[in-house]
Amino acid sequence: MKKISLILMACAMIAVTSCGNNKKKAAQEAAPTTQEEFQIQQLEAHIQMQLDSIAAIFSAKAQDPFIGAAKEGKIVLTDSEKAIKPSYLIDPASVAELSTLAQRYRAIAMLSIDSEIAKLYEMPADAYIAAISKLAADINDSALSNFLKNSQDNISNEMSALYKEEVKNGRVCLFWELNGATSIESLYVLSQNIDKFTSTLTDDDAANLTYRLILAKQSVDQLVAFYPELESLSKSLAPLDVLNAMDLAEFKSQLAEMKGQLEVIRNGLLK
């Protein structure tokens, strides 16, 4: 019982340094003894180390091989394929009324991916860029703005810098809202045209896509015990446990099986 109590207090103390000042009061009310304070600090350090380790691995694999291939022009569409415009992309105008920070971070992630698909089909991307800029301005998070500005240069370094800044600024939950939504939107778009969109991927690329999802899910699942606001994202990621492919053939098969569920999950991200 004492161990459980200590863990709960540790969670509260981690919350002070992460997602919201409203946890500070709860941590203060716990009023641990000196010995308990030391134990809490040890638990806090251990849990934070685990989360930092997950974020470091995730940042090192931050480049989505699918989106990278689209940006680099490796996915080539024929004129007849370009003529059939995708109907599954988010309407940039639809994000104007989003009210919560979590929704706005998710929308930025989703619009960023959809803008690359729009370009692939030679559709105008100005509305996507404008919507992302407006959301970033509304959020007013300098760490996020720097990431959006500089991530084209070295996305792994910029992702690592974003994580560190979000931890420091008390927005680590929103770091994972951004990246959880990125993983879901990428998988959803892939499921819409599996053969074409996976045509440039290797077995390693497929494994990395699912590994990035696993890392995001693992971190969110650990954090949700501390921050109830992450419960929605945790529930969205939960059904994706079945996506654990180690090669491209398995990845394509799992995407096909999950296509319907991916659509439901994705469509719920901004609600």
Side-chain angles (χ1 to χ4, degrees):
M1 187 73 179
K2 184 176 181 181
K3 182 177 180 181
I4 294 173
S5 176
L6 288 172
I7 291 173
L8 291 174
M9 286 189 286
C11 294
M13 293 187 71
I14 292 173
V16 173
T17 63
S18 297
C19 265
N21 293 329
N22 59 317
K23 276 74 175 186
K24 186 173 183 180
K25 182 179 179 182
Q28 291 172 339
E29 288 176 351
T33 66
T34 301
Q35 182 179 359
E36 286 174 337
E37 258 182 16
F38 174 76
Q39 291 174 301
I40 290 170
Q41 289 168 2
Q42 296 302 304
L43 283 168
E44 177 189 355
H46 176 69
I47 295 170
Q48 191 64 60
M49 183 175 64
Q50 287 184 320
L51 295 172
D52 289 348
S53 178
I54 293 171
I57 297 170
F58 185 92
S59 297
K61 297 181 176 294
Q63 179 62 64
D64 184 317
F66 160 49
I67 297 303
K71 288 181 178 179
E72 294 165 15
K74 294 179 180 178
I75 300 175
V76 180
L77 301 181
T78 65
D79 289 341
S80 60
E81 287 172 327
K82 291 176 185 176
I84 304 174
K85 306 303 183 186
S87 60
Y88 50 81
L89 302 181
I90 294 173
D91 177 3
S94 69
V95 305
E97 302 302 319
L98 297 179
S99 59
T100 71
L101 280 176
Q103 289 173 329
R104 290 171 178 171
Y105 275 76
R106 292 179 187 184
I108 284 177
M110 298 163 77
L111 288 169
S112 296
I113 289 174
D114 286 12
S115 68
E116 296 301 327
I117 305 306
K119 293 174 189 174
L120 191 63
Y121 282 86
E122 297 182 352
M123 299 164 61
D126 292 351
Y128 292 90
I129 295 169
I132 291 169
S133 296
K134 176 65 165 57
L135 286 167
D138 291 342
I139 289 170
N140 192 27
D141 179 353
S142 60
L144 176 63
S145 296
N146 289 337
F147 173 76
L148 293 173
K149 179 181 177 181
N150 301 319
S151 60
Q152 301 297 324
D153 300 328
N154 189 321
I155 190 168
S156 293
N157 288 347
E158 294 302 325
M159 185 68 76
S160 178
L162 175 64
Y163 173 77
K164 291 173 184 176
E165 285 299 305
E166 297 295 48
V167 170
K168 184 171 71 174
N169 296 336
R171 295 192 176 201
V172 71
C173 294
L174 297 169
F175 172 88
W176 288 112
E177 292 283 8
L178 180 79
N179 284 297
T182 296
S183 293
I184 292 170
E185 185 70 4
S186 179
L187 291 169
Y188 167 73
V189 172
L190 273 166
S191 74
Q192 298 302 303
N193 197 344
I194 296 173
D195 288 336
K196 175 60 69 172
F197 289 159
T198 63
S199 61
T200 66
L201 301 184
T202 65
D203 288 341
D204 285 344
D205 289 335
N208 280 336
L209 277 165
T210 53
Y211 188 39
R212 290 171 73 252
L213 174 65
I214 290 168
L215 291 171
K217 186 177 183 304
Q218 184 178 359
S219 192
V220 170
D221 286 349
Q222 288 195 53
L223 284 167
V224 75
F226 316 152
Y227 316 120
E229 57 266 45
L230 275 175
E231 185 176 359
S232 173
L233 180 60
S234 179
K235 288 181 177 178
S236 294
L237 292 170
L240 303 183
D241 274 341
V242 298
L243 289 168
N244 55 9
M246 298 302 293
D247 59 46
L248 185 55
E250 189 176 17
F251 180 65
K252 292 169 68 173
S253 175
Q254 291 178 354
L255 273 182
E257 291 176 5
M258 287 288 294
K259 181 179 178 180
Q261 194 159 14
L262 279 167
E263 182 173 5
V264 172
I265 293 169
R266 182 264 199 164
N267 290 342
L269 284 177
L270 299 183
K271 292 180 179 179

